[in-house]
């Protein structure tokens, strides 16, 4: 019997009653039938407040430390097929406890699916759903693997010479890490990274690819026999496949738009936990999401004007204006993917680090990033600009792959979240806020952005917020503007040279090929 997981100090409210919140303990355990259950027991009493079947339970965040648990239960007898929903509000003392509860719920839901199989009455064994299948919609996964199973999309990535060239350099400059080692290529695609690893002297490479691209990868690898004899292509998900030996090094290209889109980083972390030796290396080793407020009147007007269509009052005799507000909000819910001039940034950027060697898969379910900037120019702030970079922390050379504005453009471009309501700032004024990313089952994230300006000038020491603007955007549905950086036209307020630092603590374009090996990852 598995040991239960307990959260001893929560508050519990049944939304179907008018009773106030009661102190309780939340306990995850397995019942006599082997089913994962969640029980709420009142503090100081053995009386259960509620018991939920985790197979039908979902959790939603309704506040910084509050969660909503919704469970579907049958009508109560064998002939009653109707389902009724029960909803309970669960409160926690801290945000970390709230996150821990949500992670525990997902873990207990997935424990059954992690078993090899279950015995049936006829004696057969069937495999249960993998962790990937339990958290990702089947339709989303089907479209995802179909997309990456086509050669034209692989060609698009291969022709990104910044991407491909940086991977090649990172591998071949660090032969010491690959020679005589076992390598696992996570999401191998065309197999190009497996071939790079073989070129660097890998003892054997296991190329794991779940899409139909595995067949093309096998064909490409077989066509390079001097390298291919040390590469084995395995078709399947890293959450499901079994390998004959542990890996000394993982290599993968798991980055999506804003680093985390498509949620492949989670598979990369799972592959680490399943296949990598304790002293093994990961290429890439860590990633950083960079953020800075920007000012771009042209972009703001372009997005806002898309909704003008819905201001027609006589469209073939139909008044379209009732839908204008919804259309306006819809266009601003799309993150803009394009390349922009770094002089549009109105402050030095900040960054948030994801250490792939240490983080848990569950850490990627929700990212909560505080924002704090100081404006270097007086202007209108139209939103938040984002990009990312990743580090290949080799034993010989530490190499960065960056998607920063001003650097050679990649197929990832940059991403900008445009706010419906711009903010007015003066040089030296503080801009604060929050970038909150919440993963969902369509292999992407919902983005919640808040930016605020602090009081500035005389009386500023009294504190307070002057303006706040918020936005909710869907990372899976971006506006692919994909333009090259346009000629920069400074406004009257921007005549002075804007000194922006593209990537603290160093400008990526000026990073040396080597980094002082005495530096730890936390110092990068």
């Amino acid at each position: 019997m598995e040991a239960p997981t307990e959260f001893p100090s929560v508050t519990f409210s049944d939304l179907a009653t008018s009773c106030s919140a009661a102190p309780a303990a939340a306990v995850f355990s397995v019942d006599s039938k082997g089913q994962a259950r969640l029980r709420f027991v009142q503090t100081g009493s053995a009386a259960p407040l509620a018991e939920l079947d985790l197979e039908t339970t979902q959790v939603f965040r309704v506040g910084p430390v509050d969660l909503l648990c919704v469970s579907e239960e049958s009508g109560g007898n064998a002939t009653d097929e109707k389902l009724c929903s029960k909803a309970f509000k669960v409160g926690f003392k801290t945000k970390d406890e709230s996150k821990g509860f949500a992670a525990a719920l997902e873990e207990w839901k997935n424990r059954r699916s992690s078993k090899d199989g279950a015995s049936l009455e006829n004696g057969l064994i069937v495999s249960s759903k993998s962790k990937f299948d339990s958290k990702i919609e089947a339709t989303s996964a089907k479209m995802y693997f179909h997309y990456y199973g086509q050669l034209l999309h692989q060609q698009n990535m291969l022709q990104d010479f910044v991407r491909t060239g940086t991977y090649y350099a990172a591998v071949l400059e660090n032969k010491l890490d690959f020679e005589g080692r076992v390598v696992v290529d996570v999401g191998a695609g065309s197999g190009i990274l497996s071939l790079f690893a073989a070129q660097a002297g890998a003892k054997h490479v296991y190329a794991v690819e779940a899409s139909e691209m595995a067949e093309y990868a096998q064909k490409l690898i077989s066509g390079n026999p001097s390298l291919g004899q040390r590469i084995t292509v395995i078709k399947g998900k890293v959450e499901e496949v079994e390998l004959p030996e542990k890996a000394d090094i993982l290599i993968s290209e798991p980055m999506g738009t804003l680093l985390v889109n498509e949620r492949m980083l989670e598979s990369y972390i799972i592959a680490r936990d399943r296949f990598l030796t304790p002293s093994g290396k990961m290429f890439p080793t860590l990633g950083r999401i960079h953020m800075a407020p920007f000012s771009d009147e042209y972009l703001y007007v372009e997005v806002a004007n898309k909704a003008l269509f819905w201001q027609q009052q006589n469209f073939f005799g139909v008044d379209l204006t009732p839908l204008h507000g919804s259309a306006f909000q819809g266009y601003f819910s799309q993150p803009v993917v394009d390349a922009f001039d770094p002089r549009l940034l109105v402050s030095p950027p900040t960054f948030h680090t994801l250490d792939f060697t240490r983080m848990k898969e569950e850490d990627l379910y929700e990212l909560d990033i505080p924002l704090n900037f100081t404006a270097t120019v007086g202007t209108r702030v139209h939103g938040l600009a984002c990009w990312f970079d990743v580090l290949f922390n080799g034993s010989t050379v530490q190499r960065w792959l960056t998607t920063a504005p001003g650097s050679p453009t990649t197929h990832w471009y940059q991403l900008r979240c445009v706010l419906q309501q711009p903010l007015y700032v003066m040089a030296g004024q503080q801009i604060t806020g929050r970038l909150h990313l919440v993963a969902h089952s369509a292999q992407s994230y919902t983005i919640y952005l808040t930016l605020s300006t602090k009081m500035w000038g005389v009386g500023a020491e009294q504190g307070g917020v002057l303006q706040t603007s918020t936005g909710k955007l869907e990372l899976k549905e971006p506006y692919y503007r994909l333009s090259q950086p346009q000629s920069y036209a400074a406004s009257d307020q921007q005549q002075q040279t804007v000194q922006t630092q593209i990537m603290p603590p160093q400008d990526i374009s000026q990073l040396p090929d080597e980094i002082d090996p005495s530096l730890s990852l936390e110092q990068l």
Side-chain angles (χ1 to χ4, degrees), residues 10-60:
V10 305
T11 57
F12 175 88
S13 305
D14 186 344
L15 299 188
T17 69
S18 57
C19 297
S20 58
V27 182
F28 295 94
S29 61
V30 176
D31 64 15
S32 59
K33 297 180 180 179
Q35 299 295 319
R37 311 285 292 183
L38 169 59
R39 293 182 298 112
F40 291 96
V41 181
Q42 189 167 359
T43 302
S45 169
L49 296 170
E51 184 169 339
L52 309 179
D53 181 356
L54 290 186
E55 280 194 12
T56 62
T57 300
Q58 292 180 291
V59 64
F60 303 91

Side-chain angles (χ1 to χ4, degrees), residues 178-238:
F178 287 85
E179 287 180 340
R181 306 298 174 86
V182 175
V183 180
V184 172
D185 184 356
V186 180
S190 65
I192 191 69
L193 300 185
S194 297
L195 291 163
F196 289 172
Q199 287 183 49
K203 174 186 174 182
H204 201 88
V205 183
Y206 296 96
V208 182
E209 172 56 42
S211 77
E212 297 303 317
M213 186 53 55
E215 298 174 11
Y216 291 109
Q218 183 62 67
K219 199 171 185 179
L220 180 64
I221 289 166
S222 299
N224 292 267
S226 62
L227 301 173
Q229 61 185 353
R230 288 180 282 125
I231 302 174
T232 300
V233 178
I234 300 175
K235 185 177 181 182
K237 304 183 184 77
V238 295

Side-chain angles (χ1 to χ4, degrees), residues 38-185:
L38 169 59
R39 293 182 298 112
F40 291 96
V41 181
Q42 189 167 359
T43 302
S45 169
L49 296 170
E51 184 169 339
L52 309 179
D53 181 356
L54 290 186
E55 280 194 12
T56 62
T57 300
Q58 292 180 291
V59 64
F60 303 91
R61 186 169 298 281
V62 293
V65 295
D66 295 323
L67 298 177
L68 182 68
C69 291
V70 179
S71 179
E72 289 185 345
E73 303 287 348
S74 63
N77 58 68
T79 60
D80 189 352
E81 297 181 355
K82 293 183 179 180
L83 296 176
C84 60
S85 294
K86 296 181 179 180
F88 308 98
K89 184 178 179 181
V90 187
F92 300 85
K93 292 181 179 179
T94 67
K95 190 180 295 184
D96 287 341
E97 287 184 9
S98 173
K99 286 186 176 182
F101 178 89
L105 187 142
E106 288 299 321
E107 180 184 348
W108 276 86
K109 286 179 72 170
N110 293 328
R111 283 191 183 185
R112 240 182 108 198
S113 63
S114 65
K115 311 253 184 229
D116 293 332
S119 298
L120 303 180
E121 290 182 1
N122 59 8
L124 296 177
I125 301 293
V126 295
S127 296
S128 54
K129 293 176 70 176
S130 73
K131 192 166 188 179
F132 179 92
D133 293 332
S134 67
K135 68 183 181 182
I136 301 298
E137 292 177 3
T139 52
S140 176
K142 182 178 180 180
M143 293 176 63
Y144 174 77
F145 291 124
H146 174 73
Y147 179 91
Y148 284 107
Q150 300 179 64
L151 280 174
L152 71 157
H153 297 305
Q154 294 293 328
Q155 180 178 336
N156 178 49
M157 293 184 288
L158 291 172
Q159 289 181 161
D160 180 345
F161 294 113
V162 175
R163 165 196 179 270
T164 307
T166 302
Y167 268 90
Y168 180 79
V171 173
L172 272 295
E173 290 171 347
N174 289 287
K175 286 188 176 182
L176 184 64
D177 294 321
F178 287 85
E179 287 180 340
R181 306 298 174 86
V182 175
V183 180
V184 172
D185 184 356

Side-chain angles (χ1 to χ4, degrees), residues 26 91 132 142 149 190 193 203 243 255-256 351 375 386 440 445 478:
F132 179 92
K142 182 178 180 180
S190 65
L193 300 185
K203 174 186 174 182
L243 300 181
M255 300 89 73
F351 64 87
C386 306
H440 56 66
Y445 286 77

Side-chain angles (χ1 to χ4, degrees), residues 409-464:
T409 303
T410 70
H411 78 285
W412 289 286
Y413 294 86
Q414 291 98 43
L415 179 139
R416 287 187 282 177
C417 300
V418 186
L419 293 169
Q420 293 184 45
Q421 181 59 56
L423 301 173
Y424 291 85
V425 297
M426 299 296 291
Q429 192 169 4
Q430 188 180 12
I431 305 169
T432 61
R434 178 179 180 228
L435 180 66
H436 188 200
L437 307 177
V438 180
H440 56 66
S441 59
Q443 289 176 276
S444 193
Y445 286 77
T446 302
I447 302 172
Y448 299 92
L449 173 63
T450 301
L451 288 180
S452 301
T453 56
K454 293 285 189 175
M455 290 186 67
W456 179 86
V458 178
E461 65 276 2
Q462 299 175 9

